[in-house]
Amino acid sequence: MDKGSQVSIIIPTYNEAQNIVNILKSIGEHVSKIARVQAIVVDDNSSDGTARIVQNYIRDSGTRDGYTVDIVERSQKKAGLSSAILHGIRRAVGNVIVVMDSDFSHPPQLIPRMLETLRQQCDIVVASRYSSGGSVVGWPLRRRILSRVATMIAHVSLGVKQADPMSGFFAFRRSVIHGLEFDAIGYKLLLEMLVKAKNARIKEISYTFTDRAAGTSKLGAGTIIDFMRAVWRLYRDGSRVREHRASVRFTSKAARFYTVGAIGLGINWLVSTMFAANGGLWYIHANVAGIAASIATNFVLNKAWTFEDGDFGARRTLSQGVRFAAISALGATVQLAMVYSLVEYYALEYPVALVLAVGAASFGNFVLNKTLTFRERLVS
Ligand code: GDD
Ligand code: MN
């Protein structure tokens, strides 16, 4: 970085009165030597006076040579980390943007190396806890596990290659996000960038994340739900391949439908045996419970996964559910009738008849649900 280039550093805050001045000073110390810096604090109506403290700091320190501090004040309390960062980006004047926490978990000393790496060879630099040399200090086991599991889910389901796609500490050229649209809900802006910025060159630099000394974490249980939603949306929008042939799409949906069917069999068996054994239900009643449970889970899985319909609005879901259950009942009837007639009139062995009947009924179910329940063309 030459001193002429301009860097915008975005620092979202919610109740960080104890940290904010120190982090602003530390950034001034470590970064303003090597580039012109615009720090942008995005505060979500903190109740501990964070915004006022920043305003006083701006007033008292003025614009020192090459280091300005701006504040974006949002009126809604704790309106979300990603949306705060997106707000900050809109205010950024630099062509290079850094995103970091205000609580010293992300060491400002690392920023010069991030900028240097960015300048030399890439578009996005991720400060990484999980690439070799990196680590996390001070997190309880629960938090460590959650973070690792979330990272694994991102790797497996989204095909993200970076060791720490959930990092909150990263730098990028403004140009890589040109034209991209981000989901403002949640914590995972970097993950979205990694999935959506298809041709970006990405590097990771390892560092040690140290849990905050002052204040408390703002991540709550809702974060897990936000995360699962974000992954699902990225999976749906990011990996859907429209250019596949229609036949491939048809087959892949059928394969999902059959996979769900197999899962349903397992659930049916589990619930039936559970109720019969522990609940002491008559085995026929237990079996009815098993059938109901498997129809319900099959419906949800087929809706969300097989047919990629993420709209779980009450009316829509109910009317689809009713159609799904009716088609399941019809399928069962067809299967029974087929087994009976194949054995009685065509003299087939029962296992052979069963395979034929299950095959025909389940394929019929697939076709009917595709067209009637989820309103797709048969081949599209
Ligand atoms: N404006 C605004 N609005 N700021 C927020 C909000 C919000 O709703 N929620 C959190 N922040 C700010 C905090 O004040 C802090 O500066 C930063 O965002 C990170 O929040 P923490 O509460 O300190 O997060 P953490 O340390 O538990 O989580 C860390 O690890 C995650 C991945 O495991 C952070 O680095 C996250 O960014 C990261 O995703
Ligand atoms: Mn933190």
Side-chain angles (χ1 to χ4, degrees):
M1 279 279 146
D2 55 292
K3 188 89 175 69
S5 56
Q6 169 95 45
V7 179
S8 295
I9 302 182
I10 296 169
I11 311 150
T13 57
Y14 183 68
N15 288 350
E16 301 287 0
Q18 294 165 282
N19 292 312
I20 189 64
V21 166
N22 291 335
I23 197 81
L24 288 172
K25 283 186 179 153
S26 176
I27 289 170
E29 225 170 87
H30 291 101
V31 193
S32 67
K33 285 199 279 290
I34 57 155
R36 279 184 294 132
V37 176
Q38 173 200 28
I40 306 169
V41 177
V42 187
D43 186 70
D44 281 358
N45 202 357
S46 298
S47 46
D48 68 353
T50 303
R52 199 170 18 83
I53 294 171
V54 175
Q55 275 158 357
N56 292 343
Y57 180 83
I58 295 173
R59 199 194 51 221
D60 296 345
S61 54
T63 311
R64 270 175 291 125
D65 179 38
Y67 183 33
T68 59
V69 177
D70 291 335
I71 178 157
V72 177
E73 288 184 67
R74 308 201 302 167
S75 53
Q76 197 190 333
K77 284 204 170 302
K78 204 170 182 284
L81 188 53
S82 286
S83 80
I85 296 168
L86 291 169
H87 246 103
I89 291 176
R90 268 180 253 146
R91 279 284 286 277
V93 297
N95 42 6
V96 164
I97 294 172
V98 177
V99 175
M100 71 186 297
D101 295 352
S102 63
D103 59 358
F104 284 95
S105 290
H106 299 156
Q109 300 88 295
L110 195 69
I111 298 175
R113 267 186 55 212
M114 294 166 75
L115 297 179
E116 188 53 29
T117 310
L118 200 66
R119 191 179 69 83
Q120 285 180 358
Q121 44 196 334
C122 65
D123 304 307
I124 303 175
V125 174
V126 180
S128 172
R129 298 163 291 182
Y130 301 137
S131 56
S132 84
S135 61
V136 173
V137 172
W139 266 2
L141 184 65
R142 198 185 97 92
R143 184 75 204 261
R144 280 173 192 275
I145 293 174
L146 277 176
S147 178
R148 288 296 194 162
V149 170
T151 304
M152 220 175 67
I153 292 175
H155 284 160
V156 173
S157 62
L158 300 174
V160 175
K161 300 282 187 303
Q162 287 67 35
D164 192 0
M166 243 71 72
S167 175
F169 193 13
F170 52 98
F172 58 97
R173 290 175 200 280
R174 193 194 193 96
S175 55
V176 288
I177 57 166
H178 183 78
L180 300 182
E181 266 188 51
F182 293 100
D183 183 2
I185 297 165
Y187 253 68
K188 299 303 162 221
L189 196 71
L190 176 66
L191 180 63
E192 266 189 75
M193 263 173 67
L194 296 177
V195 172
K196 291 180 177 172
K198 292 250 152 44
N199 300 315
R201 297 161 299 167
I202 304 160
K203 282 257 169 185
E204 282 187 283
I205 299 185
S206 61
Y207 79 106
T208 299
F209 177 106
T210 314
D211 197 22
R212 58 164 75 233
T216 49
S217 169
K218 278 80 200 175
L219 258 80
T223 312
I224 299 177
I225 297 167
D226 284 348
F227 171 72
M228 294 310 295
R229 244 199 51 186
V231 169
W232 160 244
R233 291 192 164 190
L234 286 171
Y235 176 78
R236 189 189 58 188
D237 303 341
S239 69
R240 186 158 42 189
V241 222
R242 273 270 153 261
E243 57 276 18
H244 273 164
R245 291 164 183 276
S247 61
V248 174
R249 287 201 297 273
F250 182 86
T251 320
S252 103
K253 283 197 178 174
R256 290 188 203 173
F257 190 83
Y258 277 91
T259 308
V260 170
I263 295 171
L265 272 181
I267 288 181
N268 192 340
W269 177 83
L270 240 142
V271 171
S272 302
T273 50
M274 218 170 63
F275 272 111
N278 306 328
L281 284 188
W282 180 40
Y283 73 97
I284 293 292
H285 284 164
N287 197 212
V288 169
I291 290 171
S294 63
I295 288 179
T297 48
N298 279 11
F299 169 64
V300 173
L301 289 173
N302 277 319
K303 179 171 165 64
W305 184 46
T306 310
F307 296 105
E308 299 172 344
D309 176 359
D311 180 355
F312 276 88
R315 283 187 80 162
R316 180 185 175 90
T317 309
L318 190 69
S319 88
Q320 288 174 332
V322 167
R323 266 174 275 164
F324 186 87
I327 292 170
S328 300
L330 180 71
T333 315
V334 167
Q335 185 184 319
L336 276 176
M338 252 187 92
V339 169
Y340 179 77
S341 54
L342 287 176
V343 171
E344 294 298 314
Y345 304 117
Y346 295 89
L348 285 184
E349 298 283 340
Y350 172 63
V352 179
L354 191 64
V355 168
L356 288 177
V358 169
S362 56
F363 190 72
N365 275 12
F366 172 65
V367 166
L368 290 178
N369 277 312
K370 190 171 192 323
T371 52
L372 298 181
T373 307
F374 298 103
R375 303 249 174 241
E376 291 187 359
R377 303 247 304 272
L378 183 56
V379 179
S380 58

